[in-house]
Amino acid sequence: MMTTHHRNLDRLFHDTPLLLLVGLLLPMMSAQACADAVDEFLAAEIQKRHLPALAVAVVRDGQIIKTAAFGLADLELNVPATPKTVFQIQSITKTFTAAAILLLADEGKLKLDDPVARHLEGTPDPWKEITLRHLLNHTSGIKDFINDPTASLRLEVTEEEVLRSLAGRPLNFTPGERYAYSNSNYHLLAMIIRKLTGKWYGDFLSERIFVPLGMTNTRPVSLSAIIPNRASGYFWTGTGYRKGDFVAESILSYGGGGILSTAPDMAVWALTMMSGKLLKPETIAQAWTPARLNNGQNAGYGFGWAIGDVEGHREINHSGGHATGFTSHLGIYPEDRLAVVVLVNRGGANPGAIARRVAACYLPVLAPRPEKPIEDREPQTAALLRDCISRAAELRLEEARFTPEMWQVLEPQKGQVQAQIQALGALKSIELLSRREDGGLRTSRYRATFAQGILMISMTLNPDGQIAGLMSSPLD
């Protein structure tokens, strides 16, 4: 029996000249080959990187061309992940909160250069020059209430209590002077959404973005709600998995990281941003333009999006990750009409690297290339990093080497860091890849090669030589 589909294929093969037929079939075969290569790569990644589960979606030329999931959404219950598995997307939430602010701006309900004090009561005098634009592009100087906590993340707090705790602390720098990622900025933007609309930011996003776009599996975090297909978050200790940390719902659901979603829904979001369906094209162009600092330099971040370049191709992206045991990445290559979503239920993973490898299956020029090391004229900085790695493996880190803010973040994670370093084996070499100075802070980026793997490590020192920032991610 020949179906309509088969009859159409039969007519195609009989009526189409051979050369044209080959031209039609090669792209189809190439697309299938790409899909197969992605599946093979991702199936290997979850084993190699100790990822409980991973979900991916690919957008190309205005269509969602691939969705897939691998591994287990819940290890205790042995629940397989599917494309419908719901993950915490963490800081990719900022792309939605920024879009909400831009919607309100397009409607004339606010201006991006409005002072924050015009919309929020209780802001201190040093904030008088801070505008909504500064909040959107992380140039406000306001301290980060998540990573530089003013209260326990395990205790419920109100929006106003967070504002009061921030208002009582000095700014890190003059607004617009530097770029410094701060979750507080998006907490304040969510408060402004409530002030102007009378609705919690999560309800506003559902009403104006999620429902109209058909993102049926996207919603704010809730610890008490029954959410079908919700994944559990984990960490790899080096010898096994542990569950992600508890974070109070009032903090977990905040405007900078409080949304749950699926890979297919996030692909819809990528399509929406690429098509101009929700926001005006000129508004999207603003969101995807790097902020300009007071000294004229670009910050590398727009309105809720990081802006970068990969092998000469513009990339608009955002990643997310936190102590609850989830990591995420959404990368858009606008001129190539390509986007990749990767969601993982394991803290400390590197979904951005996975997303780039997936993107390279469809656009090979995006494939990662090894960076060449540069001459290190400050070997004492590399020696400091080497000593910290050695001490971390033995639980002997010294508090005096870190700023109080950095130690407050690092100290609770010492055991986890020790396990990860021990799993990598002996340190073989440290190579300097880049170094820059910004407002008295010097950031060095290294490639640290161990017996069992490679880490990309970024270390920031303050003028006193204390470690003010320390980030690492595995390299393929």
Side-chain angles (χ1 to χ4, degrees):
M1 180 179 178
M2 185 177 288
T3 65
T4 302
H5 176 66
H6 290 143
R7 287 197 299 271
N8 287 340
L9 282 177
D10 185 62
R11 188 178 299 115
L12 172 67
F13 275 82
H14 281 88
D15 297 345
T16 305
L18 180 59
L19 288 177
L20 177 58
L21 182 60
V22 172
L24 289 170
L25 286 179
L26 280 177
M28 294 170 60
M29 293 169 62
S30 177
Q32 184 58 52
C34 284
D36 291 344
V38 168
D39 285 345
E40 183 177 351
F41 165 65
L42 296 177
E45 278 296 279
I46 63 169
Q47 300 297 325
K48 181 179 180 181
R49 308 296 178 193
H50 302 289
L51 309 177
L54 177 153
V56 66
V58 179
V59 171
R60 191 79 196 270
D61 295 329
Q63 296 183 346
I64 301 173
I65 62 170
K66 182 175 183 60
T67 60
F70 302 83
L72 296 176
D74 190 296
L75 295 177
E76 292 175 305
L77 299 178
N78 202 39
V79 178
T82 75
K84 292 185 178 180
T85 296
V86 176
F87 295 79
Q88 292 179 25
I89 65 169
Q90 305 288 7
S91 284
I92 301 180
T93 297
K94 293 178 175 67
T95 67
F96 293 112
T97 301
I101 291 292
L102 295 174
L103 278 173
L104 295 174
D106 283 349
E107 294 169 358
K109 295 180 180 177
L110 58 81
K111 294 181 179 179
L112 299 186
D113 291 315
D114 285 347
V116 173
R118 180 173 299 173
H119 300 288
L120 293 179
E121 298 178 359
T123 59
D125 188 63
W127 290 21
K128 63 183 179 182
E129 302 297 329
I130 298 177
T131 66
L132 305 192
R133 186 182 300 273
H134 289 130
L135 298 183
L136 284 165
N137 56 37
H138 295 296
T139 59
S140 70
I142 297 173
K143 294 187 184 298
D144 189 335
F145 85 106
I146 298 289
N147 295 313
D148 181 10
T150 56
S152 170
L153 301 184
R154 299 177 66 86
L155 301 177
E156 299 291 349
V157 294
T158 66
E159 293 176 344
E160 290 73 19
E161 286 172 336
V162 173
L163 172 55
R164 285 196 296 270
S165 69
L166 293 170
R169 308 189 73 193
L171 295 177
N172 287 332
F173 50 83
T174 301
E177 179 181 82
R178 300 208 307 262
Y179 164 82
Y181 191 89
S182 174
N183 292 291
S184 302
N185 293 318
Y186 279 76
H187 175 84
L188 297 173
L189 289 170
M191 292 183 69
I192 290 169
I193 292 171
R194 186 196 290 272
K195 181 70 178 293
L196 293 176
T197 68
K199 299 174 182 176
W200 179 50
Y201 94 99
D203 294 332
F204 183 83
L205 293 182
S206 295
E207 179 183 306
R208 296 294 302 276
I209 298 179
F210 304 152
V211 172
L213 295 180
M215 298 173 66
T216 55
N217 294 307
T218 304
R219 54 157 295 156
V221 170
S222 170
L223 297 180
S224 60
I226 304 300
I227 300 176
N229 304 310
R230 174 160 39 179
S232 296
Y234 303 95
F235 280 91
W236 175 252
T237 67
T239 57
Y241 293 100
R242 70 167 179 85
K243 299 202 74 171
D245 297 339
F246 173 83
V247 175
E249 183 173 318
S250 58
I251 297 175
L252 190 60
S253 62
Y254 86 110
I259 297 300
L260 301 169
S261 191
T262 63
D265 271 13
M266 292 305 297
V268 170
W269 180 233
L271 275 170
T272 299
M273 291 299 296
M274 296 167 77
S275 67
K277 181 178 179 180
L278 180 73
L279 297 168
K280 299 175 184 177
E282 56 269 30
T283 301
I284 295 174
Q286 279 191 352
W288 288 358
T289 299
R292 190 170 293 275
L293 302 177
N294 296 344
N295 62 7
Q297 294 182 348
N298 286 339
Y301 195 96
F303 299 156
W305 295 91
I307 295 97
D309 179 277
V310 179
E311 302 297 338
H313 294 251
R314 187 167 64 123
E315 183 193 30
I316 312 298
N317 70 81
H318 216 296
S319 295
H322 196 43
T324 51
F326 290 88
T327 49
S328 58
H329 184 83
L330 168 57
I332 299 175
Y333 301 87
E335 286 72 34
D336 301 300
R337 304 185 69 195
L338 173 67
V340 178
V341 180
V342 175
L343 306 178
V344 180
N345 62 337
R346 201 211 85 188
N350 190 358
I354 296 172
R356 183 172 172 184
R357 289 282 298 275
V358 171
C361 289
Y362 299 89
L363 195 63
V365 71
L366 300 178
R369 299 180 186 180
E371 289 187 75
K372 294 182 179 180
I374 63 175
E375 181 184 359
D376 192 351
R377 298 181 179 179
E378 299 178 14
Q380 69 275 14
T381 305
L384 173 62
L385 176 59
R386 185 183 292 272
D387 185 63
C388 284
I389 291 172
S390 174
R391 289 177 175 275
E394 300 172 357
L395 278 182
R396 295 190 300 110
L397 285 172
E398 295 180 339
E399 181 177 354
R401 302 218 174 164
F402 300 85
T403 64
E405 294 81 7
M406 184 63 215
W407 184 254
Q408 194 170 17
V409 173
L410 179 61
E411 200 275 336
Q413 303 179 47
K414 288 189 301 183
Q416 177 187 332
V417 172
Q418 178 194 37
Q420 291 174 340
I421 292 177
Q422 288 180 342
L424 288 168
L427 177 63
K428 300 296 186 180
S429 66
I430 293 179
E431 298 172 295
L432 178 67
L433 301 178
S434 67
R435 177 169 286 139
R436 61 183 175 84
E437 184 167 355
D438 184 8
L441 297 175
R442 293 180 61 75
T443 299
S444 303
R445 197 163 59 87
Y446 297 95
R447 178 169 52 226
T449 301
F450 297 80
Q452 303 297 326
I454 300 175
L455 287 182
M456 304 296 288
I457 302 177
S458 178
M459 184 170 71
T460 300
L461 302 183
N462 69 5
D464 297 323
Q466 289 181 302
I467 300 173
L470 193 61
M471 298 179 62
S472 69
S473 61
L475 180 70
D476 291 331

